[in-house]
């Protein structure tokens, strides 16, 4: 929020410098983000009046002006501004004046000089030359009552500072100059000038019929008819300047008045053209399909979740956000209807963002605006309307005020002992009471407790911690003691059977993958197509329409990264992510770390796309395939031995995918992207990916020291014929299950043979030959031929029984 310091000091003027005031606000939680002077430094520029204008004898575009600056003698000044004419009052830089620094950083000094042979004793200035506005079309024209000779800095109040505050959402009561003045008064003890709202005399009894159909949308609605206003009047310069210093441009007198009161007291309001309203007004929720053209020119479609103000024929306004174009005031407006209402914050929150814009009104209403002062603020608006747009024919009607459903104020109790513990410093009950009373809160004291009845403008005071925060703010965060921890700090030592997520990251990075970090919010189509999740967890208020659900898999996020890089001509991509996924699970109970009905496990996922190796002198590398990534998964899980079982997955190729099992439990999937999704994502070839449970990946067995073998191992090779359907895992399981009395230590497949002809080498159709090297060893003695032969017979018997294998001869 931006505002001029001078406006703040009209309500509360503490004996502090600008910087001290900013520091006080910042240390009370109202962060002053920026202090900026209204105008850069310049001197000896005063109000002058042009008394005479003649054409320059030697230049078509220059004029010679006689200027009165209140010193008796007129100054002869050459000027080229197109609007230089007799009778206007403008800023005049006299000889010796210093104008604001230019691009070189040096001030421009005015001296007596000659322009085309005519002496010039000063300079008439535009707003751009004073660097107070961007208008350089002509001289800055001042009101005709501007005192001649008065310093322009004093007249335009340029010795002022723009203060920009960065407010947290709970400080809605500070979204106005008066609200901030209220805080300054509490912090400094300086008196607060409370505003008065005298009732404006009414001349007519006209009212506009208003029916509030949705009390959960609008809790209070106040309005007044004013007839015979002059909308072609000019907004006073003082109001234009204050609005500009709040970052709001002047639009028209009525709009400016409404905006001015919003910045002054934090009350957004709206002024309708009464003659454009058809019949009565209804405050209700929108109906699907209704449209409204807004003041910003956008046409929006509303639904039953958006509040509207409608008349008998159409929707006229987005409730609490922006008015409609159909009933907007214009230069032809004669009769107006002033509206001020209390809109429930939950009914306004997020509505404007649905239409990709935000407004000052919506920003305030979604945080909470005082429901008690709608009538008083209408009186303030009415008085300004009469002062600026009033005529002899202006007639004011009574205020129609409907109080329907305003927040119920609930007392909040603060335990002094609890405040001391949370804040971390010794506080007395009197200090807590004084701090809360200083904020204008109604306080009742008990035995070690302070009970506060929050005022209607404080929507943030609901629990004990809110009051503790207020006490801490009033004490001043800079006054809190620096206390080192008193409890012993013990490092949490990870168990030897676990490795941390960072170790997993390093392990995957060592395999050539790069880590990515992605949003947990994803497109709904990703969940449906890549995770097979038809009922994802939806967001109530997504940050973007394409990020509307919570992910239950990391695959979509990584696929998007691969696609992003492929579109930018990357030929080889290896990426991974450690992240949380979100699943519906009714078995999950509520706790400090869980949410009932939702499981939030951590996953680790990787994706490889492109050549197996970067380009090098050995030649073109083949594309990465299933077995390359399978090898990466095995290295990641080592020394644990994973099992891979063919299985289908929504995102994966049905013939090139597998489940990953560890100790008999499924811990994830591995495979090549389904051709359908490769084509949909427009990838020239399919990436290969894996997704595993992080908990399973972090588990590891503790290494056990073993002595170096003293006896030589024996190796034997066997070749067996099996059906084509027999897998490597089945083969190895059959070998290791053989009763070899512990002699079999290792087995490795080193050859696969499939005949080119239909039947050859003793192999029938649908059979293959697998050659396996067996390593036999005993720690007790050198193996005998009988022991070796018995072990080989046992292995062959197990193969025959389990996979119907026969020895190849």
């Amino acid at each position: 929020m931006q505002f001029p310091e001078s406006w703040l000091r009209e309500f509360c003027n503490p004996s502090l410098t600008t910087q001290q005031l900013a520091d006080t606000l910042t240390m009370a939680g109202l962060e002053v983000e920026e202090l900026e002077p209204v105008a850069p430094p310049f001197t000896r520029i005063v109000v002058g009046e042009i008394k005479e204008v003649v054409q320059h004898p030697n230049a078509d575009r220059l004029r010679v002006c006689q200027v009165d600056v209140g010193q008796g003698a007129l100054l002869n000044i050459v000027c080229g501004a197109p609007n230089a004419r007799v009778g206007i009052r403008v800023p005049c830089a006299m000889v010796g004046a210093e104008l604001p620094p230019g691009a070189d950083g040096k001030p421009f000094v005015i001296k007596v000089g000659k322009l085309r042979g005519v002496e010039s004793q000063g300079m008439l200035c535009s707003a751009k030359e004073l660097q107070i506005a961007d208008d350089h079309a002509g001289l800055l024209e001042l009101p005709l009552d501007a005192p001649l000779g008065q310093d322009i800095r004093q007249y335009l109040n340029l010795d002022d500072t723009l203060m920009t505050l960065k407010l947290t959402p709970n400080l809605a009561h500070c979204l106005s100059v008066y609200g901030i003045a209220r805080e300054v008064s509490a912090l400094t003890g300086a008196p607060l000038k409370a505003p008065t709202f005298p009732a404006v005399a009414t001349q007519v009894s006209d009212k506009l019929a208003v029916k509030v159909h949705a009390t959960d949308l609008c809790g209070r609605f106040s309005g007044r008819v004013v007839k015979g206003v002059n909308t072609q009047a000019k907004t006073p310069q003082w109001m234009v300047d204050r609005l500009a210093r709040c970052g709001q441009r002047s639009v028209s007198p009525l709009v400016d008045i409404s905006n001015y009161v919003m910045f002054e007291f934090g009350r957004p309001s709206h002024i309708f053209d009464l003659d454009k309203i058809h019949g009565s007004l209804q405050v209700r929720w929108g109906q699907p399909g209704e449209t409204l053209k807004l003041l910003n020119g956008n046409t929006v479609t509303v639904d039953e979740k958006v509040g509207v103000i409608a008349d008998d024929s159409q929707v006229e306004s987005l409730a609490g956000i922006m008015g409609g174009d159909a009933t907007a005031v214009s230069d032809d407006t004669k009769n107006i209807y002033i509206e001020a209402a209390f809109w429930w914050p939950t009914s306004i929150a997020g509505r404007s963002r649905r239409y990709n814009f935000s407004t000052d009104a919506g920003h305030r209403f979604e945080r909470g605006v005082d429901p008690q002062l709608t009538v008083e603020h209408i009186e303030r608006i009415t008085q300004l309307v009469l002062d600026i747009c009033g005529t002899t024919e202006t007639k004011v009607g009574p205020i129609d005020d409907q109080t329907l459903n305003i927040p119920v104020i609930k007392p909040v109790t603060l335990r002094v002992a609890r405040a001391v513990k949370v804040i971390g410093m010794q506080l007395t009950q009197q200090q807590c009471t004084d701090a809360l009373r200083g904020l204008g809160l109604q306080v009742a004291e008990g035995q070690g407790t302070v009970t506060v009845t929050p005022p209607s403008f404080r929507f943030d005071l609901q629990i004990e911690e809110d009051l503790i925060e207020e006490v801490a703010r009033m004490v001043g965060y800079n006054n809190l003691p620096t206390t080192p921890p008193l409890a012993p700090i013990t490092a949490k030592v990870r168990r030897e059977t676990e490795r941390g997520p960072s170790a997993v990251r390093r392990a995957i990075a060592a395999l050539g993958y790069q880590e990515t970090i992605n949003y947990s919010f994803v497109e709904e189509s990703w969940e449906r197509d890549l995770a097979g999740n038809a009922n994802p967890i939806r967001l109530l208020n997504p940050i973007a329409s394409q990020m509307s659900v919570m992910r239950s898999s990391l695959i979509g996020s990584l696929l998007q990264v691969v696609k992003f890089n492929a579109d930018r001509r990357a030929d080889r991509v290896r990426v991974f992510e450690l992240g949380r996924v979100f699943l519906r699970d009714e078995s999950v109970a509520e706790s400090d770390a869980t949410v009932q009905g939702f499981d939030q496990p951590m996953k680790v996922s990787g994706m490889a796309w492109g050549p197996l190796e970067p380009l090098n002198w050995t030649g073109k590398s083949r594309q990465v395939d299933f077995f390359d990534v399978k090898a990466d998964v095995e290295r990641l899980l080592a020394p644990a031995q994973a099992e891979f079982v063919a299985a289908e997955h929504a995102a994966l190729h049905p013939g090139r995918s597998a489940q990953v099992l560890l100790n008999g439990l499924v811990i994830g999937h591995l495979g090549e992207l389904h051709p359908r999704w490769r084509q949909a994502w427009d990838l020239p070839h399919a990436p290969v990916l894996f997704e595993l449970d992080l908990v399973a990946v972090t588990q590891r067995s503790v290494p056990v020291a073993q002595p170096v073998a003293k006896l030589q191992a024996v190796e034997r090779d066997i070749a067996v014929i099996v059906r084509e359907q027999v897998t490597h895992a089945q083969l190895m399981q059959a070998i290791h299950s053989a009763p070899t009395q512990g002699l079999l230590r290792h087995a490795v497949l080193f050859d696969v043979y499939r005949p080119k002809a239909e039947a050859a080498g003793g192999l029938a159709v649908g059979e293959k030959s697998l050659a396996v090297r067996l390593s036999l060893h005993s720690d007790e003695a050198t193996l005998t031929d009988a022991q070796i032969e018995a072990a080989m017979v046992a292995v062959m018997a197990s193969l025959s029984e389990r996979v119907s294998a026969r020895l190849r001869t």
Side-chain angles (χ1 to χ4, degrees):
M1 178 181 170
Q2 178 180 296
F3 59 91
E5 180 186 356
S6 58
W7 197 1
L8 173 64
R9 290 187 181 273
E10 285 188 9
F11 289 113
C12 183
N13 188 14
S15 300
L16 299 174
T17 65
T18 299
Q19 188 60 53
Q20 288 173 334
L21 177 59
D23 293 342
T24 300
L25 288 172
T26 298
M27 296 314 299
L30 284 72
E31 180 184 354
V32 179
E33 194 171 32
E34 185 179 9
L35 293 175
E36 181 183 0
V38 170
F42 55 78
T43 59
R44 292 182 60 79
I45 300 177
V46 299
V47 178
E49 181 179 349
I50 300 178
K51 292 294 188 181
E52 180 183 335
V53 179
V54 297
Q55 185 64 41
H56 193 289
N58 301 320
D60 294 337
R61 295 187 177 182
L62 297 180
R63 299 172 187 174
V64 181
C65 304
Q66 299 297 314
V67 182
D68 181 7
V69 294
Q71 296 181 346
L74 299 181
L75 301 179
N76 192 71
I77 298 178
V78 178
C79 178
N83 64 332
R85 62 187 186 276
V86 174
I88 64 171
R89 298 195 175 190
V90 296
C92 176
M94 299 189 296
V95 174
E98 290 188 355
L99 266 64
D104 59 358
K106 299 179 180 179
F108 182 71
V109 181
I110 302 298
K111 302 177 182 178
V112 176
K114 288 188 176 183
L115 293 176
R116 295 290 185 93
V118 177
E119 184 178 88
S120 183
Q121 300 169 337
M123 174 181 172
L124 303 181
C125 303
S126 68
K128 186 174 182 63
E129 289 164 335
L130 298 180
Q131 295 184 21
I132 59 176
D134 293 329
D135 183 13
H136 61 277
L139 301 176
L140 174 60
E141 297 189 27
L142 304 173
L144 297 180
D145 60 353
L148 290 177
Q150 184 176 6
D151 191 306
I152 200 70
R153 298 191 72 91
Q154 181 182 354
Y155 179 71
L156 294 179
N157 192 22
L158 299 181
D159 292 319
D160 198 359
T161 303
L162 298 182
M163 306 183 77
T164 303
L165 269 60
K166 186 177 181 180
L167 299 175
T168 52
N170 63 310
L171 297 176
H173 60 285
C174 295
L175 287 171
S176 67
V177 176
Y178 180 73
I180 297 168
R182 192 164 46 205
E183 292 287 310
V184 171
S185 176
L187 292 167
T188 65
L192 177 67
K193 182 182 177 182
T196 58
F197 304 98
V200 176
T202 60
Q203 293 82 31
V204 294
S205 59
D206 296 30
K207 288 185 178 182
L208 177 64
V210 178
K211 176 63 176 177
V212 179
H213 295 281
T215 56
D216 57 337
L217 165 67
C218 177
R220 185 175 184 180
F221 194 94
S222 306
R224 162 177 272 168
V225 171
V226 181
K227 294 188 172 183
V229 298
N230 175 23
T231 54
Q232 298 184 18
K234 186 177 180 181
T235 304
Q237 191 61 41
W238 62 267
M239 181 177 286
V240 173
D241 291 344
R242 280 191 171 173
L243 288 174
R245 293 174 188 181
C246 289
Q248 178 70 49
R249 66 180 180 87
S250 176
V251 179
S252 66
L254 293 176
V255 175
D256 292 347
I257 290 169
S258 177
N259 288 333
Y260 182 83
V261 173
M262 178 182 68
F263 287 115
E264 186 178 35
F265 295 116
R267 167 72 61 190
S269 59
H270 188 62
I271 300 179
F272 294 85
D273 187 325
L274 182 63
D275 298 325
K276 296 178 182 177
I277 298 175
H278 304 90
S280 60
L281 291 181
Q282 296 93 41
V283 180
R284 57 175 173 81
W285 293 105
Q287 298 173 0
E290 289 184 317
T291 60
L292 169 65
K293 183 178 181 182
L294 299 169
L295 290 172
N296 61 5
N298 295 345
T299 299
V300 298
T301 301
V302 303
D303 57 26
E304 66 279 359
K305 295 183 179 179
V306 178
V308 300
I309 301 176
D311 60 17
D312 292 344
S313 63
Q314 61 185 0
V315 175
E316 300 294 0
S317 174
L318 276 184
I321 299 174
M322 184 179 287
D325 182 70
T327 54
V329 294
S330 64
D331 290 345
D332 299 326
T333 298
K334 298 297 181 185
N335 306 314
I336 61 173
Y337 180 72
I338 304 170
E339 168 263 313
F342 167 69
W343 307 99
W344 281 93
T346 54
S347 69
I348 305 299
R351 269 51 175 195
S352 60
R353 288 187 289 277
R354 293 180 56 179
Y355 304 112
N356 298 319
F357 67 86
S358 61
T359 63
D360 287 325
H363 181 76
R364 285 164 172 78
F365 277 125
E366 68 183 6
R367 285 160 173 77
V369 176
D370 190 354
Q372 296 295 341
L373 297 177
T374 57
V375 171
E376 289 79 358
H377 292 164
I378 286 181
E379 295 287 5
R380 172 64 170 157
I381 294 171
T382 304
Q383 188 59 58
L384 289 172
V385 169
L386 295 178
D387 293 342
I388 298 172
C389 303
T391 67
T392 55
E393 300 178 357
T394 302
K395 299 186 183 302
V396 178
I399 294 179
D400 180 19
D401 179 34
Q402 303 180 51
T403 302
L404 305 158
N405 179 28
I406 61 176
V408 177
I409 297 175
K410 298 179 180 179
V412 183
T413 299
L414 165 70
R415 293 167 292 171
V416 177
R418 173 68 175 165
V420 170
K421 183 176 180 180
V422 172
I423 296 175
M425 67 179 294
Q426 289 300 318
L427 293 170
T428 65
Q429 182 167 329
Q430 188 61 45
Q431 286 177 298
C432 295
T433 302
D434 292 344
L436 296 172
R437 283 201 175 117
L439 288 166
L441 306 179
Q442 183 180 338
V443 177
E445 295 188 58
Q447 186 65 35
T449 63
V450 178
T451 301
V452 171
T453 302
S456 56
F457 57 83
R458 293 300 300 267
F459 288 79
D460 58 317
L461 302 182
Q462 298 181 359
I463 59 176
E464 183 179 25
E465 281 70 17
D466 296 331
L467 297 183
I468 295 175
E469 179 187 5
E470 295 304 296
V471 172
R473 288 200 311 117
M474 292 301 103
V475 169
Y477 294 124
N478 56 325
N479 294 323
L480 298 182
T482 302
T483 306
L486 300 178
I489 298 177
T490 304
K492 184 178 180 181
V493 179
R494 194 179 302 278
R495 288 185 296 178
E496 198 174 1
T497 56
E498 294 180 4
R499 55 178 169 174
S502 295
V504 175
R505 290 185 174 95
R506 290 192 296 270
I508 303 178
L511 297 173
Y513 292 77
Q514 292 180 305
E515 185 175 11
T516 66
I517 300 175
N518 301 288
Y519 281 107
S520 296
F521 318 134
V522 298
E523 295 188 34
E524 186 174 358
S525 60
W526 295 5
E527 284 295 293
R528 181 182 62 252
D529 299 341
L530 303 176
N533 185 5
N535 185 28
I537 301 170
R538 299 181 183 278
L539 297 172
L540 295 177
N541 185 24
I543 60 175
S545 58
Q546 72 274 17
M547 304 170 76
S548 59
V549 300
M550 303 294 288
R551 65 184 180 183
S552 63
S553 170
L554 305 180
I555 295 175
S557 301
L558 292 182
L559 188 57
Q560 182 189 40
V561 174
V562 169
K563 171 64 175 173
F564 181 89
N565 285 273
D567 289 346
R568 285 152 184 80
R569 303 180 65 83
D571 64 339
R572 184 175 183 273
V573 181
R574 301 287 188 279
V575 290
F576 78 94
E577 181 179 5
L578 265 73
R580 197 171 297 280
V581 298
F582 304 87
L583 309 165
R584 297 184 186 275
D585 187 349
E586 296 301 327
S587 65
V588 177
E590 186 78 20
S591 72
D592 293 339
T594 60
V595 179
Q596 184 177 2
F598 299 97
D599 189 17
Q600 305 175 59
M602 291 289 291
K603 298 274 189 178
V604 54
S605 183
M607 188 172 291
W609 178 82
L612 177 62
E613 298 289 345
L615 182 65
N616 58 67
W617 64 272
T618 60
K620 185 177 181 180
S621 176
R622 63 177 175 81
Q623 297 292 324
V624 67
D625 62 18
F626 174 92
F627 295 100
D628 297 320
V629 177
K630 173 176 176 287
D632 289 341
V633 172
E634 288 176 329
R635 293 190 191 100
L636 178 62
L637 295 175
Q641 297 290 325
E643 182 182 355
F644 301 87
V645 178
E648 293 189 2
H649 186 280
L652 304 180
H653 191 300
R656 301 174 186 174
S657 60
Q659 288 180 336
V660 183
L661 284 77
L662 199 61
N663 300 322
L665 298 177
V666 177
I667 66 167
H669 287 80
L670 162 73
E672 183 181 299
L673 187 68
H674 197 292
R676 181 192 308 147
W677 310 135
R678 182 199 64 77
Q679 185 176 8
W681 286 72
D682 194 24
L683 292 171
H685 39 266
V688 184
L689 58 100
F690 66 87
E691 184 173 52
L692 309 172
D693 292 332
L694 181 60
V695 173
V697 177
T698 58
Q699 302 298 317
R700 62 180 179 180
S701 57
V702 179
V704 179
Q706 293 183 347
V708 177
K710 297 179 179 180
L711 303 174
Q712 186 175 357
V714 176
E715 292 183 348
R716 291 288 187 270
D717 294 346
I718 61 171
V720 294
I721 299 172
V722 296
R723 299 186 307 276
E724 183 66 40
Q725 293 80 8
V726 174
T727 65
H728 173 267
Q730 290 172 329
L731 179 74
M732 290 299 155
Q733 185 177 13
I735 292 174
H736 286 287
S737 62
T740 61
Q741 308 302 320
L743 299 182
L744 179 62
R745 299 299 176 90
H746 187 60
V748 60
L749 176 71
F750 66 88
D751 183 59
V752 178
Y753 170 73
R754 293 183 177 89
K756 296 182 180 179
E758 291 187 359
L763 277 72
V765 176
E767 291 184 329
K768 60 185 176 183
S769 172
L770 303 177
V772 182
R773 177 162 295 170
L774 307 178
S775 178
L776 305 174
H777 182 262
S778 173
D779 297 326
E780 298 175 353
T782 303
L783 294 178
T784 64
D785 290 341
Q787 289 176 310
I788 296 172
E789 185 63 27
M792 296 299 295
V793 170
V795 169
M796 196 62 223
S798 179
L799 286 170
S800 176
E801 179 184 353
R802 291 177 178 272
V803 295
S804 301
R806 66 181 188 276
L807 191 65
R808 184 180 176 188
T809 58

